[in-house]
Amino acid sequence: MSEQIDRPGTRAIRSGLFKTDPPRLIGSACRDCGVHTFPAREFCPECGSEQVTPDVALAPTGRLYSFTTVRQAPPGRRTPYNLGYVDLDNDVRVMAQVEADPATLQIGMPLHLRIQTVGRQDDLDLIGYVFIPSDIDQEVPNE
Ligand SMILES: [Zn+2]
């Protein structure tokens, strides 16, 4: 269940990074070599082509490639929290917070995107994206 990002009192951490219905990160795709990027770019980092399609909804699921658990942070930031690289199912590697007990995280585990409140600034709830472990029954069979 995603939160509304356009309700009063909220603001996206940055515009153009994600949408909520359904929840997806927004990237770009190269029309020449097919590489996807996040955030969206005006050219392809792989082949240099400027023939890129903007506003591409990326896969909401992926696997944990790597992670670290942050145990010390500036004042106002709750710890511990996990930062991970997530390989989305359409081959984009995204850095994001991974919401889970650090002891349960495993390289390669399936994760999915969640849009949620990630902080507060200027009396507004900041809406951003995190990844959370996928339940076994949400896994796609024959993957
Ligand atoms: Zn390309």
Side-chain angles (χ1 to χ4, degrees):
M1 191 74 164
S2 286
E3 296 183 53
Q4 292 266 294
I5 56 168
D6 52 358
R7 66 182 158 82
T10 67
R11 179 166 70 76
I13 51 172
R14 199 176 114 192
S15 66
L17 284 182
F18 54 83
K19 62 190 187 108
T20 57
D21 190 24
R24 295 286 186 274
L25 296 179
I26 303 297
S28 55
C30 177
R31 290 197 291 272
D32 287 327
C33 75
V35 160
H36 289 71
T37 57
F38 176 79
R41 292 203 188 180
E42 293 180 2
F43 67 92
C44 174
E46 188 68 26
C47 74
S49 172
E50 295 180 359
Q51 303 300 311
V52 294
T53 303
D55 297 328
V56 173
L58 301 175
T61 53
R63 301 225 170 229
L64 186 59
Y65 171 77
S66 172
F67 70 94
T68 188
T69 300
V70 179
R71 298 184 189 281
Q72 286 195 310
R77 182 85 202 241
R78 253 181 297 160
T79 57
Y81 63 92
N82 311 298
L83 277 180
Y85 280 112
V86 181
D87 284 342
L88 299 185
D89 290 342
N90 50 356
D91 272 350
V92 191
R93 184 166 291 162
V94 173
M95 185 194 251
Q97 193 164 324
V98 180
E99 294 224 332
D101 178 343
T104 65
L105 291 178
Q106 291 186 319
I107 301 299
M109 72 190 293
L111 301 170
H112 67 269
L113 176 71
R114 189 165 74 188
I115 307 296
Q116 66 175 31
T117 301
V118 295
R120 198 158 165 82
Q121 190 176 62
D122 302 330
D123 288 330
L124 297 172
D125 284 335
L126 290 176
I127 308 299
Y129 56 91
V130 301
F131 281 83
I132 60 174
S134 298
D135 295 326
I136 302 291
D137 61 7
Q138 287 180 316
E139 280 193 73
V140 180
N142 303 319
E143 201 177 346

